[in-house]
Amino acid sequence: MVDDIASSLSSVTIAHFACHGQQLTDKPLSSSLKLQDSDLKISHIMEQRMSNAALTFLCACEMAMGDKALPDEAMHLGATLLFSGFRSAVATMWLINDADGPVIADTFYVHLLKDDPIIPNTELVAEAVHFGTADLRKWGVEFRRWVPFIHLGN
């Protein structure tokens, strides 16, 4: 499954991952998305060419966490996908509540599809993240639950 997913990244415009993730600051190239059969590691993603890639949504823990000891040099999965060709990434800076990801994603995609129900407007990514986090804030959830969702890239 990991090889299939990694190889298909080169042909997709949008890649959405809703799974567990792990940042390994001592071995950044081993940081990964936890898939059903194995881990999709940064090192594996970096091998792919992504010429059609517009947006990735990483609804997993620690996907833009970085390393507090090296804030300007840390490698995280969100940045790796940008460097690999995606123009925009939505990622999380730390652990997230499993219930929050679907709430943010639902509002996010409704906003991207507001003008055309078939083709998402990826120019609205930052605004869509804002609306998704605003939904969580409306429900009165704690600050630590909505603030980790960020937009990277264009």
Short mmCIF file of all heavy atoms in Angstrom, two decimals, residues 48-55 79-88:
data_model
loop_
_atom_site.label_atom_id
_atom_site.label_comp_id
_atom_site.label_asym_id
_atom_site.label_seq_id
_atom_site.Cartn_x
_atom_site.Cartn_y
_atom_site.Cartn_z
N GLN A 48 9.63 11.00 -5.12
CA GLN A 48 8.55 11.13 -6.10
C GLN A 48 8.61 12.48 -6.80
O GLN A 48 8.98 13.48 -6.20
CB GLN A 48 7.18 10.98 -5.42
CG GLN A 48 7.04 9.77 -4.53
CD GLN A 48 7.41 8.47 -5.21
OE1 GLN A 48 6.97 8.20 -6.32
NE2 GLN A 48 8.23 7.67 -4.55
N ARG A 49 8.21 12.51 -8.07
CA ARG A 49 8.05 13.75 -8.82
C ARG A 49 6.57 14.11 -8.77
O ARG A 49 5.73 13.28 -9.09
CB ARG A 49 8.47 13.56 -10.25
CG ARG A 49 9.95 13.32 -10.40
CD ARG A 49 10.28 13.55 -11.82
NE ARG A 49 10.83 14.90 -11.91
CZ ARG A 49 12.02 15.15 -12.42
NH1 ARG A 49 12.74 14.17 -12.86
NH2 ARG A 49 12.46 16.37 -12.47
N MET A 50 6.26 15.33 -8.40
CA MET A 50 4.86 15.74 -8.26
C MET A 50 4.57 16.97 -9.09
O MET A 50 4.37 18.05 -8.56
CB MET A 50 4.56 15.95 -6.78
CG MET A 50 4.73 14.68 -5.98
SD MET A 50 4.39 14.91 -4.25
CE MET A 50 5.70 13.95 -3.54
N SER A 51 4.48 16.80 -10.38
CA SER A 51 4.29 17.94 -11.28
C SER A 51 2.86 18.48 -11.30
O SER A 51 2.64 19.62 -11.66
CB SER A 51 4.72 17.56 -12.70
OG SER A 51 4.01 16.42 -13.12
N ASN A 52 1.87 17.67 -10.92
CA ASN A 52 0.47 18.11 -10.92
C ASN A 52 -0.02 18.55 -9.55
O ASN A 52 -1.16 18.93 -9.39
CB ASN A 52 -0.43 16.97 -11.40
CG ASN A 52 -0.12 16.54 -12.80
OD1 ASN A 52 0.09 17.37 -13.66
ND2 ASN A 52 -0.07 15.24 -13.03
N ALA A 53 0.82 18.49 -8.56
CA ALA A 53 0.42 18.64 -7.17
C ALA A 53 0.05 20.08 -6.82
O ALA A 53 0.86 20.99 -6.94
CB ALA A 53 1.54 18.16 -6.26
N ALA A 54 -1.18 20.27 -6.38
CA ALA A 54 -1.64 21.59 -5.97
C ALA A 54 -1.79 21.69 -4.45
O ALA A 54 -1.41 22.69 -3.85
CB ALA A 54 -2.98 21.92 -6.63
N LEU A 55 -2.35 20.65 -3.82
CA LEU A 55 -2.71 20.74 -2.40
C LEU A 55 -2.57 19.39 -1.72
O LEU A 55 -2.98 18.37 -2.26
CB LEU A 55 -4.16 21.22 -2.29
CG LEU A 55 -4.86 21.11 -0.93
CD1 LEU A 55 -4.21 22.03 0.09
CD2 LEU A 55 -6.34 21.42 -1.08
N ALA A 79 6.56 20.50 5.00
CA ALA A 79 7.59 21.15 4.20
C ALA A 79 8.11 20.21 3.11
O ALA A 79 8.36 20.64 1.98
CB ALA A 79 8.74 21.61 5.09
N THR A 80 8.26 18.93 3.44
CA THR A 80 8.74 17.97 2.45
C THR A 80 7.81 17.91 1.25
O THR A 80 8.26 17.87 0.10
CB THR A 80 8.87 16.56 3.07
OG1 THR A 80 9.80 16.63 4.14
CG2 THR A 80 9.31 15.54 2.06
N LEU A 81 6.49 17.92 1.50
CA LEU A 81 5.55 17.87 0.39
C LEU A 81 5.59 19.16 -0.44
O LEU A 81 5.42 19.13 -1.65
CB LEU A 81 4.16 17.54 0.89
CG LEU A 81 4.03 16.07 1.29
CD1 LEU A 81 2.79 15.83 2.14
CD2 LEU A 81 4.00 15.17 0.08
N LEU A 82 5.85 20.29 0.20
CA LEU A 82 6.04 21.54 -0.56
C LEU A 82 7.29 21.44 -1.42
O LEU A 82 7.26 21.76 -2.61
CB LEU A 82 6.16 22.74 0.38
CG LEU A 82 4.91 23.18 1.11
CD1 LEU A 82 5.23 24.35 2.04
CD2 LEU A 82 3.81 23.57 0.14
N PHE A 83 8.39 20.99 -0.84
CA PHE A 83 9.65 20.87 -1.58
C PHE A 83 9.53 19.85 -2.71
O PHE A 83 10.22 19.95 -3.72
CB PHE A 83 10.81 20.49 -0.67
CG PHE A 83 11.10 21.49 0.41
CD1 PHE A 83 11.46 21.08 1.67
CD2 PHE A 83 11.01 22.86 0.18
CE1 PHE A 83 11.72 22.00 2.68
CE2 PHE A 83 11.27 23.78 1.17
CZ PHE A 83 11.63 23.34 2.43
N SER A 84 8.65 18.88 -2.54
CA SER A 84 8.47 17.84 -3.56
C SER A 84 7.55 18.27 -4.69
O SER A 84 7.43 17.57 -5.68
CB SER A 84 7.91 16.57 -2.91
OG SER A 84 8.82 16.05 -1.98
N GLY A 85 6.87 19.40 -4.54
CA GLY A 85 6.07 19.90 -5.65
C GLY A 85 4.68 20.40 -5.32
O GLY A 85 4.08 21.09 -6.13
N PHE A 86 4.13 20.07 -4.16
CA PHE A 86 2.81 20.60 -3.82
C PHE A 86 2.93 22.10 -3.58
O PHE A 86 3.88 22.57 -2.97
CB PHE A 86 2.25 19.91 -2.56
CG PHE A 86 1.66 18.57 -2.84
CD1 PHE A 86 2.44 17.43 -2.75
CD2 PHE A 86 0.33 18.44 -3.20
CE1 PHE A 86 1.91 16.18 -3.01
CE2 PHE A 86 -0.21 17.19 -3.47
CZ PHE A 86 0.58 16.06 -3.37
N ARG A 87 1.96 22.86 -4.09
CA ARG A 87 1.99 24.32 -3.92
C ARG A 87 1.47 24.74 -2.56
O ARG A 87 1.88 25.78 -2.04
CB ARG A 87 1.19 24.99 -5.04
CG ARG A 87 1.86 24.84 -6.40
CD ARG A 87 1.19 25.64 -7.48
NE ARG A 87 -0.21 25.31 -7.70
CZ ARG A 87 -0.65 24.34 -8.49
NH1 ARG A 87 0.21 23.58 -9.14
NH2 ARG A 87 -1.92 24.12 -8.65
N SER A 88 0.57 23.96 -1.97
CA SER A 88 0.00 24.28 -0.66
C SER A 88 -0.10 23.02 0.18
O SER A 88 -0.32 21.93 -0.36
CB SER A 88 -1.41 24.86 -0.78
OG SER A 88 -1.40 26.16 -1.29
#
